[in-house]
Structures are given as C-alpha cells and as structure tokens.
Amino acid sequence: MQNEPEPSIYSDEEAKAAIQELFGFQSLLQGMKAFLPPALNELILKAKDQVKSVGDFQEKIAYPLFKVIEKDSISKLTSSGLEHLDPSAKYLFISNHRDIILDSAFLNVVLFERGFRTSQIAIGDNLMRHRISELIFHINKSFVVKRSGTPMELYRYAVKLSDYIWRQITQKIDSVWIAQREGRAKDGDDRTQVGLVKMLSLSAKTDLKTYFREMKVVPVAISYEHDPCDLLKAQEFLNKRANPSFKKTFEEDVQHMLLGLKGYKGAVHFHFSAPFDAELDAFDAIPSAKKQLELLAEMIDQRIHQHYKLRPINYVAQDLLTKTDAFRNYYSAEEHARLSAFFEERFKLLTDDEEGLGREYLLGMYANPLVNQLAAMEL
C-alpha cells in the first residue's frame, strides 16, 4: 500500500505527453471521425499539436467539443447563483449526479464562460478501465476515487483523497467537483451518501464545523429536462430485479456515456448555492460527529432539492404516476398530451415489464425531483 499513488491530476508536462499517446490510438481517431462533425474533428486534430498544458486541452479541445454537444442536444443551458461566489476563491462543489460525463463537464463550461477557473473532477476508478478513457479524464483535470480494493486499502486511500481535496481548496489551488453519491441517482431521487461526507471529513484536524466552513461546500443542483439514458436506467432496474447479481460491463458504461453525450437533454440548468457558513452553527447542538455528518448530508440534499429547476415533464410524470391531475396548473393540455405520448413510447421499449414496475420506475425518475422539492419546501 506504500506504493499506492496519491490522488492527483496531470501536470502540464504530463498532459503534453498524454496528448501524444491519446491521439496515437487508431480506435480513438476512428471514433472521432464517426462521432464528431467533420469541422470539429478537423479542428481537434489541428489543435492537439498546440496543446502544451491542461488549460490548453480544456480551451482548445474540451470546450469546443462540449459546445457542439450543447448545440446538438441541449435546447438551453442556464445557470443561477454564481453571483454569490467569488471567482478568486476555491470551492467544493457537491452536486446531484445524473450523467457520467456531462454533470462535471457542463459545470466547467458554465464556470469557464462566467469567468471562473474550471474545477478538478472526482472520477470513479470504474471509468478508468481503458487507457483511452484514463488519459482523457486525467488530461481534463480529473483525479481518481478508488472503489475497488480491500476495506483497509479503500480506507487508506480515502484518507489520502480527503487530504488532497482539503489541500486543493484551502491552499487555493483549485475548486473541486464531486458527486453527492457513488454512481448516478438512476431513479431521480437525489440523496447525499453520508459515506461521502465522512470521507471528506477524514483529514479534519479541527472540529467539523470549522473544517467544513473552510472547505467552502457549495451544493449544486443540476436539472436535466430529459434524461437521454432514462430508458437504459429503467431497463437496468428491471434486469437487476430479475437478477440481483446483474452488473453493467465497462462496455455498457461506455454505451451510457455515449448516449448521455449525444442524446437529447432539453433545457439544462445549474444552480449554485452559497457556501455553507452560519448554517453550520447547528453542529454546536450536536455532540456526535456521526450526527453532524448526517445533518450535513441532509443540508446538501435540501439545497439541491429546493433549487432543482422543475419543468412540465416533472409535473406530468407525477400526475401520470398517481393517476391524478393535481399539478394540472403547471402544464398545458398540449404539454400533457405530448408528454403522455412521449412516456407511452418509452414504455413500449421496455422488456420484461409485465407488472409495469419499469413504467413506474421511469415515471419516478421525472417525478421524484418534484416530490423532493415539495418536501424540502416544508422544512
């Protein structure tokens, strides 16, 4: 374990070498030619020789790529809340997690376009099984979150990871993005894993209130009008129900990534909450560190639920799920007809759903953000 590498992103020198290795893969070049518009493919092939740093890669290759994805698959990309943040400060962005790549990618697009430095990205080691994906993620300011190993190995790495994130923020090196949970919230029910905030606390040398105040925790609510992977997620739910040991292969992860990139997402919104400050005074009344961490997870959830940007599809899904018209004031008759037809077409594509559980699951993906927001507003 002494040889276990520290969490880190590529230096500029490492990025230059990685670019050369990356574009030496014929499979990547063939995939780019098939996937990208010819003009963008040509632009990237020319830009790769000008990449001398991580910043160059993000500006000359990643940013143009994600702008094309935005143009082709997002009707409108908006954000709110950044006026409460300081572009010169560093933050720990904790967001809900819906898309394997785009949650962090478009967070960085939003930051870049509004004058903020892009954040580092925490990526699970399950996405690093191929050298191409490993290189792409690392060049794009990503560091690894280990998910495989013995309990002791995972704990030791978690301590290193916590210390790494702490140093990036408190030494004002970079902001960091991490998802609120391991894996995506496939049912649309966004919940922060207490294990995540516990991992973040492992390097604390002070009380947790002071520690997390200095970490500048910013909950980020990411709202996708349409989830391109909704059908795949519902089918995965059915597959797991039929076979509890079912697990996606790396190739299926890649399928989800590609569909997430290319599939229609409709309107996408990022809301950045102000970092927790006075709210953490609630820790004073809680002597147990375990209970403090549980409270912090609940606080993150409440911010994300409150600021999730709801659309007609969320209200229609809830009414279809409950077989009522309780939210009829939030959509038009035309929207109800169009979205009902949309869901019916999705239901037809599910296999082995005789009991209708996949149908309920798919509707729940879109209804749960509404249910959670209503509950958060009552707190």
Side-chain angles (χ1 to χ4, degrees):
M1 188 64 192
Q2 280 69 27
N3 295 325
E4 183 68 49
E6 298 284 336
S8 65
I9 61 172
Y10 276 172
S11 66
D12 289 342
E13 282 302 313
E14 288 172 324
K16 285 168 60 178
I19 281 286
Q20 298 307 312
E21 181 182 352
L22 180 65
F23 284 93
F25 285 95
Q26 287 302 310
S27 56
L28 174 73
L29 298 176
Q30 292 165 2
M32 286 172 54
K33 189 172 182 179
F35 180 76
L36 300 177
L40 177 62
N41 187 45
E42 185 176 344
L43 181 150
I44 290 175
L45 291 176
K46 288 181 179 178
K48 70 179 176 62
D49 296 323
Q50 302 165 18
V51 172
K52 309 298 182 187
S53 66
V54 169
D56 282 348
F57 177 83
Q58 291 196 315
E59 184 176 348
K60 299 178 188 298
I61 293 180
Y63 180 71
L65 171 62
F66 289 122
K67 290 304 287 184
V68 166
I69 291 170
E70 177 187 340
K71 180 176 179 293
D72 289 348
S73 68
I74 295 176
S75 60
K76 192 174 186 182
L77 176 63
T78 55
S79 67
S80 56
L82 278 173
E83 65 273 12
H84 302 302
L85 304 184
D86 179 358
S88 67
K90 307 306 175 191
Y91 300 97
L92 175 58
F93 298 116
I94 301 180
S95 80
N96 54 325
H97 191 25
R98 298 298 179 78
D99 186 90
I100 295 173
I101 295 176
L102 294 186
D103 292 346
S104 56
F106 277 110
L107 176 130
N108 272 341
V109 166
V110 168
L111 291 174
F112 178 76
E113 292 185 339
R114 287 152 183 79
F116 286 74
R117 180 176 163 87
T118 57
S119 69
Q120 293 186 29
I121 300 164
I123 292 287
D125 61 2
N126 59 306
L127 301 179
M128 301 287 197
R129 296 179 201 164
H130 193 284
R131 183 58 176 165
I132 290 178
S133 61
E134 182 182 352
L135 289 167
I136 291 173
F137 282 125
H138 274 313
I139 300 169
N140 200 35
K141 290 178 71 171
S142 298
F143 58 88
V144 174
V145 177
K146 282 183 69 69
R147 292 179 180 167
S148 56
T150 67
M152 183 55 70
E153 287 171 345
L154 291 174
Y155 175 76
R156 288 175 179 166
Y157 191 81
V159 173
K160 290 183 177 183
L161 185 62
S162 173
D163 183 64
Y164 177 80
I165 294 172
W166 163 258
R167 284 186 283 109
Q168 302 314 298
I169 293 162
T170 58
Q171 295 179 19
K172 298 186 177 181
I173 299 169
D174 256 333
S175 291
V176 171
W177 172 86
I178 193 166
Q180 67 179 161
R181 57 181 294 147
E182 178 183 323
R184 295 164 293 164
K186 296 173 186 177
D187 59 358
D189 185 15
D190 300 312
R191 302 284 168 182
T192 302
Q193 286 178 330
V194 177
L196 170 76
V197 290
K198 182 178 180 181
M199 178 277 290
L200 293 170
S201 75
L202 290 176
S203 60
K205 305 294 191 296
T206 61
D207 61 276
L208 292 181
K209 181 179 81 169
T210 302
Y211 179 77
F212 281 110
R213 188 170 282 162
E214 292 177 346
M215 281 280 257
K216 292 187 170 63
V217 177
V218 173
V220 182
I222 307 177
S223 316
Y224 291 89
E225 183 177 13
H226 286 270
D227 184 343
C229 296
D230 55 7
L231 190 63
L232 291 179
K233 291 175 181 178
Q235 191 62 57
E236 184 181 345
F237 162 76
L238 290 171
N239 293 344
K240 283 184 176 178
R241 191 170 182 277
N243 176 14
S245 62
F246 173 84
K247 192 171 183 179
K248 291 202 313 296
T249 63
F250 176 70
E251 288 71 27
E252 287 171 319
D253 271 335
V254 171
Q255 181 188 12
H256 281 239
M257 283 190 265
L258 291 176
L259 185 56
L261 290 172
K262 298 182 75 170
Y264 180 68
K265 289 163 275 291
V268 176
H269 185 77
F270 284 73
H271 178 82
F272 297 79
S273 292
F276 289 128
D277 190 2
E279 301 93 334
L280 295 173
D281 287 341
F283 282 17
D284 293 339
I286 306 173
S288 162
K290 179 175 180 290
K291 294 295 183 183
Q292 289 177 356
L293 294 174
E294 290 173 356
L295 176 60
L296 180 58
E298 291 171 6
M299 291 165 61
I300 294 168
D301 289 348
Q302 185 178 11
R303 291 277 190 94
I304 290 173
H305 295 164
Q306 285 177 333
H307 295 289
Y308 193 98
K309 194 169 184 65
L310 298 169
R311 311 281 181 180
I313 193 169
N314 305 111
Y315 296 103
V316 170
Q318 177 65 4
D319 279 352
L320 290 174
L321 196 57
T322 58
K323 297 180 173 61
T324 68
D325 60 356
F327 294 98
R328 61 185 178 279
N329 292 334
Y330 293 89
Y331 52 79
S332 66
E334 185 275 330
E335 286 170 330
H336 186 276
R338 174 174 56 81
L339 291 167
S340 296
F342 163 78
F343 282 119
E344 287 298 330
E345 288 304 310
R346 306 304 271 171
F347 300 153
K348 291 176 185 176
L349 296 173
L350 293 170
T351 59
D352 301 318
D353 190 33
E354 291 77 12
E355 298 176 57
L357 296 178
R359 169 193 174 101
E360 290 182 5
Y361 190 88
L362 199 149
L363 286 173
M365 287 183 207
Y366 291 94
N368 280 331
L370 167 60
V371 173
N372 287 338
Q373 188 168 104
L374 292 172
M377 293 302 185
E378 292 176 359
L379 296 176

